[in-house]
Amino acid sequence: MSETAARPAESTDLTDPTEPAVRRGMLLSKGWIQLSALVALTGLFGLILMGWLTYRSDPPIPQTVVSAAGGVVFTGDDIRAGQKVFLKNGLMEYGSIFGHGAYLGPDFTADYLHRSATEVLESYGGPSSDSAARRTREDFRTNRYDEASGTLTFSTAQATAFPVLVAHYGETLNRPDGKNGLRPNAIPNPQDLRQLTAFFAWSAWSSAAERPGKNYSYTNNWPGEPLVDNKPTADVVVWSVLSLVALLGGTGALFAAFGRWNWLGWHGRDQRELRFREPQTVALTPSQRATAWFFLVMAVLFLLQTLVGAAAEHYRADLTSFFGIPLDRWLPYNVVRTWHVQLSLLWVATSFLAAGIFLVPMITRKKDPKGQGVLAYALLGALTVVVVGSLLGEVAGIRGAFGGMWSWFGMQGFEYLDLGKFWQILLTIGMVFWVVILWRGLRRRLSQESPGNMPWLFFYAALALPVVYSAGLLTRNGDPFTVTDFWRFMVVHLWVEDFLELFTTVMVAYIFVLLGVVREKIALRVIFLDVILYSAGGVIGTAHHWYFNGSPASVLSMGAFFSAFEVIPLTFLTIEAWSFIRLGASQESRSPTTFPHRWAVMFLVAVGFWNFLGAGVFGFLINLPIVSYYEVGTALTANHAHAAMMGVYGMLAVAFSLFALRYLIPPEKWSDKLARLSFWSLNIGLAWMSFVTLLPLGILQLYHSVDASYFDARSLAFINSDANRLLEWLRLPGDVVFIGGGVLPLLWMAVQGVRAVTRHEEAAPGADLQLFTEVEDHDPIEATAAGRLT
Amino acid sequence: MPAALVLLSVYSLALVGAAHGLRALGRRSTSPWASRTLAGHLRATQEPPEDVSDEDWPHSEVPRLYAGMAIVAATAATALSIGGLALARDRIEGSVLLAVLVLSGLTVARMAAAFRS
């Protein structure tokens, strides 16, 4: 299907400087919008349904837990307070609960379950006694919660085990010499320890006690624990099979359609010849120049993130000290890991915010509205306040600062939503502020466009970011864990894996359109296809994080089935991107000027590669419920997280920065060598991290989890095993390459950008800010008819 | 032989295999119209884009990209087999890992020499 531009007033060419007198109609048929809306609404309905099911079916918190022999063991208030102790002390960034959290410390649900079951078994006669084994299983699997009175009755043996475990956690979490990853004497208050143990005990109870009317527990029999007869349920196995069917069937269907119809339409000859403008001939607006500082902040945060990541990794290789330095006294594992996770989101977000601001004048081809540059700097200032405040708050909060306001200014303690609520609110407001900045720059252009065209899609994608992120504000440390997890994953999954993915697609598509290498109609089709395919799987597929956290089996089934569909767009778009790159050289080779964004595009190629491998392959590797049952919270999860987060969003953030810096840095200071060094080092370092450490370690850990038990695979004894420590140490060369060769050159380029930023001249008043490509037509007759040639 | 050493051996061999596979991929023509995947589009499209030469960017980067990835994979195999050798407790384990080490080390040396030339 060829594109036509009948009259200048209805130009369909984004690079056409003629300002249309009327609003430009939608370039695609309305069917695309209708289908997108239908799929998105279906997904939203599914999400609401799962939320209702979760609120309705989460494990109850009893008012009182009593012993069969008489006496109160602990109360519901103890459980809720214990959850707060867990979060306040950053224990979710040390170990995990219901499989969610960090991976150095134990999973406390599995840990309490195993230890208490062992105590109970011993009290009944030990492992050699069949009746002892039977009684142990009965004690844990029988659900003695009375909803009417709110009383849960523990067997005498279970109740006797409780103070034993209070003492155990007091010893292990409160060591005076540290050497376990936490700071010395981390939780000295006996009341805190008792309440914390109550929280663990409740989580362990819910993982073994059978749901009323069912033969499996509140957590679908997770974790596997032979002592209490916890093994995979029928739902776990069947929905794993159906998930595979969904993946294979969906992939087949998509490629049957893809092979049959040339939907995207870009495989034809392009009639235009492009001339790439030299970057130094493109005038930049004040807001664009302000982004140089954003990219410097981005690079600094990236460097800091890698350094604390190295520190966190070192704990896994050597718990006793950091090359002789007792690092745990000042920066224990839970602090460095918190910073590592938070900084990954913050530096990527900084790049995305800057890239959005940078792109607006190129979309509108107009000067900034008044004060846009000042607003950009104000946003940067606000971002700096949030970053510094939240990071310092986290370390202070873990040390007990802020008293009762710990979750506001210190640390909320939820993995990925560690930052204090105050900082979380400020960050959300900051994102809204960013949308306002974009709106100011875009609004005139938006008034001239159909709501289904690219400028509007860019704006919607940007607007969705603060809207979806704000759902994370509904996590409250006093709510039941299963409920808080529902809202937490609105950020971790829906925001990160869906809406950031959408923003990514729109940004990349727009950059290619503005460069002239992809037509707007084709880019629009890709974006709508992205919305449809990702919404089909990714919205309801959020539930693949909730298999074993206390959500009901119906949520597990929906999560397993729909999350398989997430892999399909990754596969499809990878093949399309690969084809695009192979065909793309024809444009570059005809241009008399060198394509100025080679390395930005190379980073986008890396995004495509890691999207398929890190998100698709490594993600699906752990997606099936039967696999997740044994590996949740292990190195296989970390393998997917690193390959996907850094491989996709990290590489993309770098691509955006190189795209902008190419204009900000004068040509005599621009270094293709540094860009090449950074590209190779980041990719080699990430590949090394995955293939030398995380993947083999994850496979070993998975084997151990199935062969021995999940408890064993998550124990410090396993982490400290020779094989594990060897694999952790082997990561060192790759990390050195990543930081030294990958991050430092980028930092230097960002410094160059800031130094050069004052040297750009202001655009002359009234000057039209030209795009950096000019279009010349091969066919002058068509160009004349189109009004592009007179 | 402990599970960890079995995994290290097999995994390292798989990495060596992947290295050879990547190198072979990098030697293939990157012309879009040489690809079977795009053959259908070539037939269906009325005016397909012109073919490109291996010197046109980004095709010019492909052999180097694949060769680089292959060297990284082989180097990873070498590092893992050295580590496994350090964990080996008897002659059989040591022999197996030594064999893997020699194979991966030779692969690295050969590929690095080809890369430099």
Side-chain angles (χ1 to χ4, degrees):
Chain A
M1 190 186 294
S2 63
E3 289 193 339
T4 56
R7 300 186 297 278
E10 289 183 5
S11 168
T12 58
D13 188 346
L14 253 187
T15 60
D16 186 339
T18 308
E19 191 166 313
V22 298
R23 198 161 90 156
R24 194 165 69 137
M26 191 168 158
L27 294 181
L28 299 185
S29 79
K30 283 188 188 155
W32 286 97
I33 293 189
Q34 288 160 354
L35 186 56
S36 301
L38 178 66
V39 174
L41 285 172
T42 305
L44 186 61
F45 172 74
L47 207 55
I48 293 170
L49 174 65
M50 290 190 297
W52 177 73
L53 288 169
T54 299
Y55 271 84
R56 197 167 151 261
S57 311
D58 62 319
I61 297 180
Q63 281 183 26
T64 331
V65 178
V66 299
S67 166
V72 173
V73 184
F74 53 84
T75 65
D77 288 342
D78 287 328
I79 296 168
R80 278 181 280 268
Q83 177 171 298
K84 292 181 183 179
V85 171
F86 179 73
L87 295 171
K88 180 169 66 168
N89 287 282
L91 289 179
M92 202 170 175
E93 293 282 11
Y94 172 66
S96 57
I97 194 88
F98 292 113
H100 290 290
Y103 318 130
L104 180 67
D107 178 86
F108 291 104
T109 303
D111 195 74
Y112 188 98
L113 182 66
H114 180 81
R115 292 183 190 278
S116 61
T118 304
E119 290 288 324
V120 167
L121 182 67
E122 286 299 332
S123 74
Y124 287 148
S128 56
S129 162
D130 285 343
S131 66
R134 181 184 49 78
R135 289 178 72 186
T136 303
R137 285 194 298 272
E138 270 170 22
D139 277 3
F140 282 88
R141 297 212 73 80
T142 306
N143 190 341
R144 292 184 214 85
Y145 173 65
D146 177 34
E147 197 174 343
S149 63
T151 304
L152 169 63
T153 305
F154 271 4
S155 69
T156 309
Q158 284 176 304
T160 308
F162 179 74
V164 173
L165 286 164
V166 174
H168 166 75
Y169 290 117
E171 278 170 34
T172 52
L173 299 178
N174 211 27
R175 288 175 60 148
D177 60 349
K179 302 211 189 308
N180 60 356
L182 293 174
R183 65 190 172 98
N185 301 309
I187 310 176
N189 187 313
Q191 164 97 322
D192 282 352
L193 281 166
R194 194 179 159 280
Q195 289 170 335
L196 182 68
T197 311
F199 174 57
F200 297 159
W202 166 79
S203 74
W205 165 78
S206 67
S207 72
E210 292 176 355
R211 276 187 188 269
K214 304 288 182 192
N215 64 352
Y216 52 82
S217 72
Y218 291 96
T219 62
N220 296 307
N221 279 3
W222 184 89
E225 178 52 72
L227 293 177
V228 304
D229 206 24
N230 253 11
K231 45 188 188 251
T233 63
D235 284 300
V236 165
V237 176
V238 168
W239 285 102
S240 298
V241 173
L242 293 175
S243 180
L244 269 173
V245 170
L247 172 69
L248 295 172
T251 306
L254 188 70
F255 281 99
F258 166 74
R260 193 173 165 77
W261 296 297
N262 186 13
W263 272 5
L264 295 185
W266 53 266
H267 297 136
R269 179 185 291 264
D270 200 315
Q271 296 300 333
R272 304 181 308 169
E273 182 170 311
L274 304 180
R275 289 177 186 273
F276 300 111
R277 290 189 61 191
E278 301 283 346
Q280 66 273 19
T281 65
V282 177
L284 297 178
T285 67
S287 66
Q288 288 179 310
R289 289 198 299 278
T291 63
W293 288 94
F294 279 79
F295 291 118
L296 179 61
V297 167
M298 176 210 85
V300 169
L301 296 182
F302 187 14
L303 179 64
L304 187 58
Q305 192 232 345
T306 55
L307 293 175
V308 292
E313 169 60 16
H314 189 90
Y315 277 106
R316 291 181 62 92
D318 182 359
L319 260 182
T320 57
S321 74
F322 185 81
F323 298 107
I325 300 169
L327 190 65
D328 55 357
R329 285 179 203 277
W330 312 288
L331 292 174
Y333 177 81
N334 52 350
V335 169
V336 292
R337 201 211 187 236
T338 301
W339 282 359
H340 181 64
V341 170
Q342 292 297 289
L343 282 165
S344 70
L345 298 168
L346 291 171
W347 78 261
V348 165
T350 303
S351 173
F352 282 23
L353 300 188
I357 293 172
F358 193 87
L359 219 55
V360 165
M362 290 179 164
I363 293 170
T364 62
R365 298 188 60 195
K366 295 289 176 206
K367 281 175 58 177
D368 279 347
K370 201 172 170 188
Q372 192 81 328
V374 171
L375 290 179
Y377 280 113
L379 176 64
L380 182 65
L383 188 67
T384 307
V385 166
V386 169
V387 169
V388 174
S390 65
L391 293 180
L392 291 179
E394 281 146 16
V395 68
I398 281 175
R399 288 183 168 273
F402 308 117
M405 302 295 281
W406 59 271
S407 70
W408 279 93
F409 299 104
M411 175 127 168
Q412 286 188 87
F414 297 107
E415 193 199 14
Y416 291 106
L417 286 180
D418 308 86
L419 75 175
K421 191 74 99 185
F422 173 72
W423 307 111
Q424 190 185 7
I425 292 170
L426 279 190
L427 186 58
T428 310
I429 293 171
M431 280 193 264
V432 172
F433 182 34
W434 169 69
V435 173
V436 169
I437 293 174
L438 299 183
W439 168 258
R440 291 180 87 245
L442 280 172
R443 65 179 173 180
R444 204 153 159 224
R445 180 61 189 266
L446 292 175
S447 67
Q448 296 159 350
E449 291 279 357
S450 158
N453 286 344
M454 280 197 76
W456 275 103
L457 293 189
F458 172 75
F459 184 71
Y460 297 145
L463 181 63
L465 296 186
V467 169
V468 179
Y469 184 78
S470 66
L473 291 169
L474 294 168
T475 50
R476 293 186 301 192
N477 55 50
D479 281 346
F481 184 84
T482 312
V483 167
T484 64
D485 231 29
F486 178 83
W487 295 110
R488 185 168 74 95
F489 280 103
M490 291 300 112
V491 173
V492 181
H493 182 96
L494 206 61
W495 189 70
V496 173
E497 297 183 44
D498 288 337
F499 284 90
L500 270 185
E501 186 85 50
L502 172 64
F503 183 73
T504 298
T505 304
V506 174
M507 287 286 288
V508 172
Y510 228 140
I511 286 172
F512 282 134
V513 168
L514 293 173
L515 282 169
V517 293
V518 172
R519 291 182 177 274
E520 192 184 358
K521 253 190 186 170
I522 291 155
L524 272 170
R525 284 194 196 113
V526 172
I527 293 169
F528 275 108
L529 205 55
D530 181 281
V531 170
I532 292 163
L533 292 176
Y534 280 118
S535 298
V539 177
I540 299 177
T542 306
H544 68 184
H545 295 282
W546 301 327
Y547 290 158
F548 308 118
N549 71 342
S551 297
S554 49
V555 171
L556 178 152
S557 62
M558 285 194 274
F561 189 78
F562 283 94
S563 60
F565 289 129
E566 287 186 78
V567 182
I568 299 168
L570 291 174
T571 310
F572 171 71
L573 290 169
T574 299
I575 300 228
E576 275 299 306
W578 170 82
S579 304
F580 169 72
I581 289 292
R582 284 176 78 136
L583 287 163
S586 59
Q587 285 291 6
E588 216 260 353
S589 66
R590 286 205 300 267
S591 172
T593 54
T594 312
F595 183 58
H597 297 292
R598 285 188 172 190
W599 287 105
V601 169
M602 288 300 286
F603 271 98
L604 294 179
V605 170
V607 169
F609 170 77
W610 287 107
N611 210 7
F612 179 71
L613 179 69
V617 175
F618 290 159
F620 198 73
L621 180 64
I622 60 173
N623 193 63
L624 298 181
I626 191 62
V627 177
S628 184
Y629 185 85
Y630 293 104
E631 75 70 43
V632 64
T634 68
L636 277 183
T637 307
N639 181 49
H640 163 59
H642 283 80
M645 185 71 195
M646 177 61 216
V648 178
Y649 294 123
M651 297 293 178
L652 183 65
V654 175
F656 287 158
S657 69
L658 288 184
F659 176 80
L661 285 170
R662 194 67 180 90
Y663 296 97
L664 293 164
I665 298 175
E668 66 273 13
K669 297 282 186 194
W670 175 264
S671 172
D672 261 354
K673 275 192 187 150
L674 282 181
R676 182 189 304 131
L677 176 64
S678 185
F679 173 81
W680 276 104
S681 299
L682 289 177
N683 280 284
I684 288 172
L686 185 61
W688 190 272
M689 185 191 306
S690 179
F691 287 102
V692 172
T693 300
L694 295 172
L695 182 59
L697 183 55
I699 294 170
L700 263 180
Q701 201 168 15
L702 174 63
Y703 184 90
H704 201 68
S705 176
V706 180
D707 189 47
S709 70
Y710 181 79
F711 159 81
D712 217 61
R714 284 294 307 270
S715 64
L716 270 180
F718 178 83
I719 302 286
N720 280 328
S721 67
D722 289 342
N724 189 85
R725 290 174 65 226
L726 168 77
L727 289 171
E728 302 284 6
W729 275 109
L730 279 176
R731 213 171 113 169
L732 183 61
D735 287 354
V736 169
V737 166
F738 189 92
I739 298 172
V743 182
L744 291 180
L746 195 60
L747 177 60
W748 177 246
M749 293 172 84
V751 167
Q752 297 284 68
V754 164
R755 287 168 77 180
V757 79
T758 53
R759 295 183 199 145
H760 278 270
E761 293 170 4
E762 285 271 359
D768 182 15
L769 288 163
Q770 294 183 42
L771 283 179
F772 41 82
T773 59
E774 293 171 1
V775 176
E776 286 187 7
D777 282 286
H778 260 320
D779 187 338
I781 295 171
E782 185 190 300
T784 307
R788 291 196 294 270
L789 206 60
T790 53
Chain B
M1 200 166 165
L5 293 182
V6 172
L7 171 73
L8 283 178
S9 311
V10 173
Y11 185 81
S12 299
L13 285 173
L15 282 174
V16 170
H20 285 287
L22 286 166
R23 194 136 176 271
L25 264 176
R27 288 205 206 102
R28 292 180 65 170
S29 168
T30 58
S31 161
W33 301 131
S35 161
R36 284 190 206 101
T37 305
L38 292 171
H41 292 299
L42 179 60
R43 282 192 293 273
T45 305
Q46 286 181 345
E47 278 195 83
E50 295 162 1
D51 204 350
V52 293
S53 86
D54 288 343
E55 275 143 36
D56 293 325
W57 186 88
H59 297 262
S60 53
E61 302 289 322
V62 168
R64 187 173 274 275
L65 209 62
Y66 278 105
M69 282 156 46
I71 291 173
V72 172
T75 309
T78 308
L80 284 167
S81 43
I82 291 173
L85 210 50
L87 292 177
R89 293 212 168 98
D90 62 38
R91 274 188 196 168
I92 295 174
E93 292 169 12
S95 304
V96 169
L97 283 155
L98 188 63
V100 175
L101 173 61
V102 166
L103 182 63
S104 54
L106 284 172
T107 305
V108 173
R110 232 180 97 225
M111 288 185 179
F115 190 83
R116 274 194 293 271
S117 65

